[in-house]
Amino acid sequence: TIMSNTHKARLERRIAGSTNRWRFPKQPFTGDLLSLSQMCKALSIDFEEALRNPDRLYIPQIQKFFCENFKNKDIQSAEADVILECLGFKWELHQPQLFQSETLAKLYLKALTQGTTYPLRELEELLRAQSPKKTKEKSPAKRMIISLKINDPQVTKVAFATALKNLYMSEVEINLEDVLGVLASAHILQFSGLFQRCVDVMITRLMPSTINSFYKAGCKYKEEQLTTACEKWLEMNLVPLVGTQIHLRKIPQDLLHKVLKSPRLFTFSEFRLLKTMLLWVFLQLNYKIQAIPTHETVMTFFKSFPENCCFLDRDIGQSLRPLFLCLRLHGITKGNDLEVLRYINFFPESWLNRITANHYHALENGGDMDQLKDLNTQAVRFGLLFNQENTTYSKMIAVYGFFFKITGLKHDTTSYSFYMQRIKHTDLESPFVAYEHKPVSLRAARLVKYEIRAQALVDGKWQEFRTNQIIQKFGLTKLSCKSHILKIQTVGIPIYVSFAFIFPPS
C-alpha cells in the first residue's frame, strides 16, 4: 500500500490522445513525457534541462505572447510593473517590454513565482491579466523588484540605459563610442534583436581605430559574422590603410596570421607587404612611439641587433616565425629590395639562400618558376587601388626581364575593366630608368598562369569579381600581348584590384 501511494503521488496513467501514456498529473508539467520531449525539440531546449528547470519552457512562449500582442503599442500606464536594480540605479520597466530580454524575463518570473505552490498558475494568471481582449477586466499586476549584478567593465550607465531604451523603441541611435558597451549589455540581457543591431553597426563602421576592439568583441561573444567581417576588411586594408597608421600596433597576432594566409589579401607588391609586417613588429617592440616612423628608422632598428644571430632566430622573434612564413618572399625580385632583406639581418640565412637560388634558377631558365605550383598560395602579387578620382590608372611591373603594365579603366559611374599587358623593353616610356640594373628577356613568348581579382565594399558586404585561373602565352604583338579583361559593375569605391601570376615551365 505504501509503495502504491508513493507511485500514485509520483505518476499516474491517463489517456493522452489515442494512446495511454505516462504523464505528470500535477505542476510543474501539464503534459506527458512524449509531448514534453516534442515541445523541447520545437523550442530547441535540452530535454533533461527542461526536467530540471521547467521555467525554460515558458519564457519563449511568454516572449512570443508579448511580442505579438503588444508590439508597437503605447504603454497603457505610466505605472511601472518592475523596478530593476542594477549598476547602482533603479530602472522602471513594464512587462511587455521587459520580456524582450530573456535575462530580465527569467528574473521577473523567478520573483513572481517565488514562494508559490503552483508557479505556473501564476504565469497563466499573468498572461490572462495582460490579454488585450480582457483589458477592461485587467487587475493590477504585482509590482516586482528584481536585481541584476553586472561585472563587465564595458557596460557603462549610458550603454545600459541605451540597451533598456531599445526595449521601448526599435530605432534608438547607437553611437560609435557606446556600441561596445551596448553590445555587452545586450549580451548580458540576452536581448538578441539589439545584439544583432550592434553587430550590424560595427560591421559598417570598421576602420583602423576600431578593427582591434571590434574583432576582440567578436571573439569574446563567439560572433562569427563580426569576426569574419573584421578579417575580410583587414585583408583589403592592412597594407594600403592600416599599415600607414599607428593603429597597426593594435592588430592582434592571431588576426594578422589569418589575414596573411588568405588568398584574398590585397597588397601593392610583396615588398610592400613585408614593409608593413616589419613596421608591425617594430611597433610591438617600441610601444612608447606614438607616430609612424620612417622606413629607414625601422631598418636601422633591426640592423642594431648583434649580427651573430638573425632576428627570427632570437627568443624575441621565435613566436613571429609563423607570420613571416606566410609571406611570399620569392616575389621580391628587385635588386634594391633584395639588398634590404640581407641588410636588416631579420631572416635566417637559409631562407635568403633559398630565395637567391630560386632567382638564379629562374633567370637561367627564361623566367621559369619551377618551384611555384599553386596560384592561391604561391603567386607573385601586384595591386592597384582604384579610387573615385581615377579614370585610367596603370603601373609598370618587371619580373625576371619581362615587363607588364597592369591597368584599370573607368567607363562610366559603375563600369570598370582591368587587365595586364606585356610591354617590349624598347617601348617603355622611360627605358633607361625603368630597367637600369634589371635583366631584360628577349624571349618572344612567355607562358603565364594568372588571375585578376577585384573587390569592393557595398553596404557592408564585399563584392568579389575574378577571372578564372588562366594559362596564356604573352607575346609582343598586338594580338598576343594583352590578358583576359576583367569587366565589372559596382558602386563600391575604392576597388581593390589584385594581379596574381606565376611563370610555369615552358
Side-chain angles (χ1 to χ4, degrees):
T1 308
I2 295 174
M3 286 182 65
S4 177
N5 290 339
T6 304
H7 181 72
K8 275 188 174 182
R10 187 163 45 89
L11 292 170
E12 63 183 28
R13 206 160 189 64
R14 293 182 183 172
I15 297 297
S18 59
T19 61
N20 193 19
R21 303 196 294 255
W22 288 106
R23 67 184 278 139
F24 296 99
K26 296 180 181 179
Q27 304 287 359
F29 300 110
T30 57
D32 57 75
L33 283 170
L34 180 59
S35 64
L36 176 62
S37 173
Q38 291 169 342
M39 185 189 297
C40 288
K41 284 183 180 179
L43 295 172
S44 300
I45 294 172
D46 182 74
F47 179 66
E48 292 184 5
E49 173 64 21
L51 291 174
R52 291 192 298 269
N53 184 14
D55 288 351
R56 281 205 67 200
L57 288 171
Y58 293 87
I59 290 172
Q61 295 175 351
I62 296 172
Q63 284 179 314
K64 184 179 179 183
F65 170 84
F66 278 113
C67 185
E68 289 176 351
N69 292 289
F70 291 91
K71 189 176 182 180
N72 298 326
K73 290 193 177 181
D74 295 332
I75 300 168
Q76 296 293 323
S77 168
E79 186 74 19
D81 305 305
V82 183
I83 302 296
L84 170 64
E85 295 178 343
C86 184
L87 299 176
F89 294 89
K90 292 183 178 181
W91 316 80
E92 294 189 346
L93 302 173
H94 299 77
Q95 285 173 353
Q97 287 70 32
L98 174 145
F99 276 98
Q100 293 177 70
S101 159
E102 191 169 330
T103 299
L104 297 183
K106 287 177 181 177
L107 289 173
Y108 179 65
L109 294 180
K110 184 178 179 182
L112 181 72
T113 59
Q114 199 166 18
T116 61
T117 309
Y118 302 112
L120 293 185
R121 188 176 297 168
E122 293 281 345
L123 304 187
E124 290 169 5
E125 289 177 3
L126 167 66
L127 294 180
R128 197 179 298 115
Q130 293 295 333
S131 175
K133 296 177 182 177
K134 301 194 174 185
T135 305
K136 294 180 181 178
E137 307 168 20
K138 190 161 73 173
S139 57
K142 295 181 182 178
R143 186 181 177 93
M144 296 290 175
I145 297 178
I146 59 177
S147 298
L148 177 62
K149 290 184 178 179
I150 297 177
N151 297 318
D152 192 333
Q154 289 279 12
V155 182
T156 63
K157 176 193 170 185
V158 172
F160 192 70
T162 302
L164 293 180
K165 191 175 180 181
N166 272 269
L167 294 172
Y168 291 81
M169 301 169 64
S170 59
E171 296 301 325
V172 176
E173 184 179 356
I174 302 173
N175 296 323
L176 185 62
E177 59 268 25
D178 297 326
V179 69
L180 286 170
V182 178
L183 181 81
S185 301
H187 176 75
I188 290 168
L189 292 172
Q190 296 183 59
F191 187 0
S192 58
L194 177 59
F195 189 91
Q196 185 58 51
R197 275 195 63 209
C198 290
V199 169
D200 293 341
V201 168
M202 293 161 81
I203 288 174
T204 58
R205 299 300 298 274
L206 286 169
M207 59 187 78
S209 60
T210 62
I211 182 71
N212 172 54
S213 57
F214 287 4
Y215 175 74
K216 287 182 176 177
C219 293
K220 178 180 179 180
Y221 301 118
K222 297 180 173 60
E223 183 55 43
E224 189 175 343
Q225 182 188 6
L226 180 55
T227 55
T228 300
C230 291
E231 289 168 20
K232 288 186 176 181
W233 184 88
L234 193 59
E235 286 167 359
M236 295 299 100
N237 292 289
L238 173 63
V239 174
L241 185 59
V242 183
T244 64
Q245 299 186 24
I246 200 68
H247 300 294
L248 175 66
R249 166 186 284 138
K250 295 184 178 179
I251 302 298
Q253 185 170 338
D254 67 314
L255 174 57
L256 205 52
H257 193 225
K258 289 178 185 176
V259 168
L260 291 174
K261 290 194 298 182
S262 171
R264 298 175 67 254
L265 173 63
F266 174 85
T267 182
F268 298 110
S269 68
E270 302 300 339
F271 189 67
R272 277 291 296 273
L273 179 58
L274 171 62
K275 286 172 65 176
T276 301
M277 288 305 302
L278 292 174
L279 176 58
W280 180 83
V281 176
F282 176 87
L283 292 174
Q284 304 307 302
L285 302 177
N286 297 273
Y287 209 81
K288 291 183 179 179
I289 291 181
Q290 296 301 314
I292 289 291
T294 64
H295 176 60
E296 289 70 26
T297 301
V298 175
M299 298 300 102
T300 303
F301 170 76
F302 290 116
K303 180 64 177 175
S304 67
F305 286 88
E307 292 186 6
N308 62 331
C309 180
C310 75
F311 184 85
L312 288 182
D313 280 342
R314 298 180 181 280
D315 292 340
I316 198 172
Q318 288 284 343
S319 63
L320 303 177
R321 273 181 169 245
L323 296 178
F324 286 89
L325 283 169
C326 294
L327 301 188
R328 304 177 189 181
L329 299 177
H330 57 266
I332 299 174
T333 59
K334 287 184 179 179
N336 291 341
D337 297 344
L338 291 170
E339 288 176 12
V340 169
L341 289 188
R342 288 200 172 272
Y343 171 79
I344 60 176
N345 193 29
F346 190 89
F347 297 100
E349 190 69 22
S350 60
W351 292 26
L352 299 176
N353 290 340
R354 185 169 61 250
I355 293 168
T356 304
N358 289 338
H359 287 338
Y360 274 117
H361 177 83
L363 288 168
E364 289 175 350
N365 291 274
D368 291 356
M369 302 176 181
D370 291 347
Q371 79 283 7
L372 307 183
K373 307 295 182 186
D374 184 16
L375 204 62
N376 283 328
T377 59
Q378 297 178 310
V380 180
R381 297 167 294 190
F382 292 92
L384 295 178
L385 188 60
F386 212 82
N387 289 304
Q388 181 71 46
E389 63 272 14
N390 297 130
T391 53
T392 302
Y393 183 32
S394 62
K395 186 164 65 174
M396 194 68 65
I397 58 177
V399 179
Y400 297 144
F402 296 92
F403 298 89
F404 293 88
K405 183 163 69 171
I406 55 178
T407 301
L409 299 174
K410 182 177 182 179
H411 303 291
D412 56 44
T413 53
T414 60
S415 299
Y416 304 84
S417 60
F418 305 97
Y419 62 91
M420 58 190 285
Q421 180 179 357
R422 186 179 172 192
I423 303 294
K424 194 174 181 179
H425 69 281
T426 55
D427 294 336
L428 296 171
E429 293 176 3
S430 303
F432 183 78
V433 175
Y435 64 86
E436 183 185 14
H437 306 307
K438 291 188 177 72
V440 174
S441 176
L442 300 177
R443 289 181 63 167
R446 173 65 258 174
L447 192 65
V448 182
K449 183 178 181 180
Y450 68 92
E451 179 185 65
I452 305 172
R453 186 191 303 245
Q455 295 166 91
L457 187 62
V458 178
D459 296 330
K461 295 182 179 179
W462 286 99
Q463 290 182 337
E464 184 173 348
F465 311 89
R466 57 198 289 188
T467 64
N468 295 323
Q469 292 189 7
I470 300 168
I471 298 179
Q472 177 184 335
K473 271 190 177 180
F474 281 79
L476 294 169
T477 66
K478 189 173 182 180
L479 294 175
S480 65
C481 68
K482 188 180 289 189
S483 73
H484 175 88
I485 300 174
L486 176 64
K487 298 178 180 179
I488 72 169
Q489 296 272 343
T490 183
V491 296
I493 285 290
I495 304 171
Y496 304 80
V497 190
S498 295
F499 297 80
F501 60 85
I502 58 179
F503 294 165
S506 55

